[in-house]
Amino acid sequence: MERSEYPKEIRKRARNVYGKHVGECVAISFACLLVSCAISAVAAFDFALFMLATLIIGFPLVFCLHLYCDDIRRDKGLVGGTFFRRFGGYYARCGGVYRAFATAAKSILIYFLCYGLFSLIYLTARQGEPEMASELQQITSLASSGNADALYNLFIESTAVLPALRFSAGVAEGVTMLYVVHTLAFFGPKTHLYFNSPAGANRSLGSLYSYTARSNWSYFHKLYILTQWPILLFYVVGFASGFTIANFYLYGTMYPVAIGFGAASVLLSIYFPYFSFTSGFLFRVEEKEFATASLEYARAQLANLHAHSAMTDEEFKAMSENLDAAEEGHKKLLERHERDPFFEEDAEETEDKQ
């Protein structure tokens, strides 16, 4: 099978799995919907708390549901009594799978950039309105005089500038969450890499994933875009429709952004099982790339340690022999992928490690 045919085959296989396990997929979607809507409601009060809830509850939930969908994909059904073990497994051994801290830092930067830029554009576009022009003039005057109390009171009583700033903040929050959804989608296959690896390998796995992505940049991103673009579309459609409609009735409040996130959650929850199946098949396609990069990365690290006298010649020789043995297994993996890049595990495969 040619590489150009992989995206079509991934989508086909994901649809087949969904059609075969509709009941389990609906259960996954319902669980996703309940939690994501509860998190979305927090945005009506404070966006910072919403982001925190997304990081400490939303990310582990996505990881956990990926594992359940992997069970469904392998015809194991929904395994009961494992939710809290898998949810906790995210923190115990797989906390780096979605690069939570880096994602949070980038999200903050994106929010403030979008908020500042859109606020400037939106306020400038409306400065010709009498009420807006009056409030902007008062704000400029009070800011120049340094009267902080009067400026604060003006913002509290504002009927033009403050609602406009809240609307701008809502748009910025929507763009910020688009980046978060993109991150979860892009690192979907990484869930399977972490899940199938030994405990304590977080840092090395993160380096391996980055190394592989860099060495196959166009290949990685082409597969990602061609198979996972619907999740970004569903988010944009859901958030934009919910946020826009809510602003007709609740303009100037913080509720439209929560309603927008809620609407996006409905679409994303329905789509999540299919998205997870495509992530699983993406990992199957990319597995040989990870294996190849893993050996290259290991040999580079070994050579670096030996060059800096961090190990004896005997240790270097023993490690080199281990890597040579791993090369033999790697050749078998490449042969298997040559026959069928979407191979499935044997039925007697060991139970999941989470």
Side-chain angles (χ1 to χ4, degrees), residues 170-287:
V171 173
E173 290 165 16
V175 174
T176 301
M177 280 306 297
L178 175 63
Y179 168 73
V180 174
V181 171
H182 154 70
T183 299
L184 292 173
F186 184 74
F187 289 130
K190 195 176 178 184
T191 302
H192 301 276
L193 177 65
Y194 272 59
F195 166 56
N196 292 307
S197 300
N202 271 9
R203 181 170 297 182
S204 59
L205 288 176
S207 300
L208 171 62
Y209 195 89
S210 299
Y211 180 85
T212 309
R214 285 195 301 270
S215 61
N216 299 276
W217 187 258
S218 60
Y219 170 66
F220 260 63
H221 285 76
K222 183 178 179 179
L223 269 181
Y224 163 68
I225 292 170
L226 291 177
T227 58
Q228 305 294 44
W229 63 266
I231 195 170
L232 302 179
L233 176 63
F234 285 146
Y235 170 81
V236 171
V237 170
F239 178 81
S241 59
F243 182 72
T244 301
I245 293 172
N247 268 293
F248 280 111
Y249 306 98
L250 301 167
Y251 178 78
T253 69
M254 299 175 66
Y255 296 113
V257 69
I259 294 172
F261 287 144
S265 295
V266 173
L267 296 183
L268 293 180
S269 296
I270 294 172
Y271 181 72
F272 184 87
Y274 177 86
F275 154 68
S276 186
F277 298 147
T278 58
S279 292
F281 288 122
L282 267 175
F283 176 74
R284 285 290 164 225
V285 170
E286 295 173 352
E287 187 179 21

Side-chain angles (χ1 to χ4, degrees), residues 35-349:
V35 178
S36 58
C37 283
I39 294 174
S40 297
V42 178
F45 305 98
D46 187 84
F47 183 65
L49 288 178
F50 166 76
M51 285 298 299
L52 182 62
T54 299
L55 293 174
I56 66 176
I57 299 176
F59 278 25
L61 176 73
V62 170
F63 176 80
C64 181
L65 293 182
H66 265 308
L67 301 188
Y68 277 115
C69 287
D70 193 59
D71 288 339
I72 294 171
R73 184 175 61 84
R74 293 188 284 121
D75 294 321
K76 294 174 63 178
L78 291 177
V79 181
T82 60
F83 177 81
F84 290 106
R85 178 161 57 90
R86 289 174 167 181
F87 191 93
Y90 170 84
Y91 291 105
R93 50 178 289 173
C94 299
V97 63
Y98 303 126
R99 300 176 63 187
F101 291 110
T103 300
K106 292 179 181 179
S107 297
I108 293 171
L109 179 61
I110 290 171
Y111 170 75
F112 282 110
L113 286 175
C114 290
Y115 181 50
L117 180 62
F118 189 79
S119 296
L120 179 62
I121 295 173
Y122 190 54
L123 290 175
T124 301
R126 294 187 56 193
Q127 66 180 350
E129 300 175 10
E131 188 176 10
M132 179 68 74
S134 175
E135 287 193 9
L136 288 174
Q137 185 177 8
Q138 292 179 61
I139 289 172
T140 302
S141 175
L142 291 174
S144 300
S145 65
N147 193 336
D149 291 336
L151 185 61
Y152 174 77
N153 291 331
L154 175 61
F155 270 108
I156 292 297
E157 299 171 358
S158 171
T159 57
V161 173
L162 182 59
L165 290 177
R166 285 178 173 168
F167 179 81
S168 301
V171 173
E173 290 165 16
V175 174
T176 301
M177 280 306 297
L178 175 63
Y179 168 73
V180 174
V181 171
H182 154 70
T183 299
L184 292 173
F186 184 74
F187 289 130
K190 195 176 178 184
T191 302
H192 301 276
L193 177 65
Y194 272 59
F195 166 56
N196 292 307
S197 300
N202 271 9
R203 181 170 297 182
S204 59
L205 288 176
S207 300
L208 171 62
Y209 195 89
S210 299
Y211 180 85
T212 309
R214 285 195 301 270
S215 61
N216 299 276
W217 187 258
S218 60
Y219 170 66
F220 260 63
H221 285 76
K222 183 178 179 179
L223 269 181
Y224 163 68
I225 292 170
L226 291 177
T227 58
Q228 305 294 44
W229 63 266
I231 195 170
L232 302 179
L233 176 63
F234 285 146
Y235 170 81
V236 171
V237 170
F239 178 81
S241 59
F243 182 72
T244 301
I245 293 172
N247 268 293
F248 280 111
Y249 306 98
L250 301 167
Y251 178 78
T253 69
M254 299 175 66
Y255 296 113
V257 69
I259 294 172
F261 287 144
S265 295
V266 173
L267 296 183
L268 293 180
S269 296
I270 294 172
Y271 181 72
F272 184 87
Y274 177 86
F275 154 68
S276 186
F277 298 147
T278 58
S279 292
F281 288 122
L282 267 175
F283 176 74
R284 285 290 164 225
V285 170
E286 295 173 352
E287 187 179 21
K288 67 176 182 179
E289 308 293 342
F290 287 121
T292 300
S294 178
L295 287 172
E296 293 176 355
Y297 186 73
R299 288 197 181 281
Q301 292 294 94
L302 182 62
N304 183 58
L305 290 172
H306 187 248
H308 289 82
S309 302
M311 60 171 55
T312 64
D313 290 338
E314 291 76 12
E315 290 173 331
F316 177 76
K317 182 179 179 180
M319 291 294 293
S320 296
E321 290 175 352
N322 289 337
L323 287 176
D324 290 338
E327 286 279 7
E328 294 300 317
H330 180 56
K331 291 178 181 178
K332 295 180 180 179
L333 175 66
L334 294 180
E335 292 174 359
R336 182 179 60 192
H337 270 266
E338 190 67 28
R339 294 192 301 270
D340 179 17
F342 298 96
F343 76 96
E344 293 299 314
E345 302 89 337
D346 295 332
E348 44 292 330
E349 182 186 28

